[in-house]
Amino acid sequence: RIRTPRHLTWNHGSETADGPVYNTGNSDATGVPNGDKVKGGFGHLGITVPDVYETCDRLHKLGVTFHKSPNGGGMKGLAFVKDPDNYLIEILPQGKMITKPVDCLGVKVDDGGGYKDNSK
């Protein structure tokens, strides 16, 4: 069994506000006083696994919701899933970034589209 290091941060304040600031960073309005969506923030955990595609196959079979499959979008070979609270969890390889012809959602490596700006 491989131990996975975790790095959690607590971001205190922002460029314009003192004190604790809570937001999921997932381009939503959670924790934002004026109700506007946050643009360009990241608020997720990342884990490394020996094989992103095998891990995603397993997660898909368990019913996990995917925000981005390994072949989706512009960055191939990594994925984003959602936890029960809709926080994003990034699935990254422990070694070199590799791709496989088809991922767990049936997306072909050449058909996954390009970059999608979720902040808009």
Side-chain angles (χ1 to χ4, degrees), residues 2-111:
I2 297 171
R3 292 181 174 252
T4 303
R6 289 165 298 285
H7 179 90
L8 301 176
T9 62
W10 176 49
N11 298 320
H12 188 80
S14 71
E15 292 85 357
T16 59
D18 290 327
V21 176
Y22 167 78
N23 184 272
T24 64
N26 295 337
S27 299
D28 64 18
T30 304
V32 179
N34 63 6
D36 289 341
K37 286 186 173 185
V38 172
K39 294 185 174 141
F42 276 122
H44 67 272
L45 295 175
I47 62 169
T48 58
V49 296
D51 187 309
V52 170
Y53 288 82
E54 287 180 12
T55 299
C56 289
D57 284 340
R58 182 170 182 263
L59 294 174
H60 180 60
K61 289 175 185 168
L62 291 171
V64 172
T65 300
F66 280 80
H67 183 73
K68 180 208 169 303
S69 68
N71 288 343
M75 292 285 297
K76 309 299 183 195
L78 61 87
F80 282 90
V81 296
K82 290 187 175 185
D83 79 357
D85 294 318
N86 283 326
Y87 283 93
L88 294 178
I89 300 172
E90 187 171 8
I91 314 293
L92 297 157
Q94 287 175 339
K96 294 177 95 174
M97 191 79 76
I98 62 154
T99 59
K100 293 187 179 180
V102 179
D103 69 23
C104 61
L105 300 184
V107 179
K108 295 179 182 175
V109 72
D110 295 329
D111 296 340

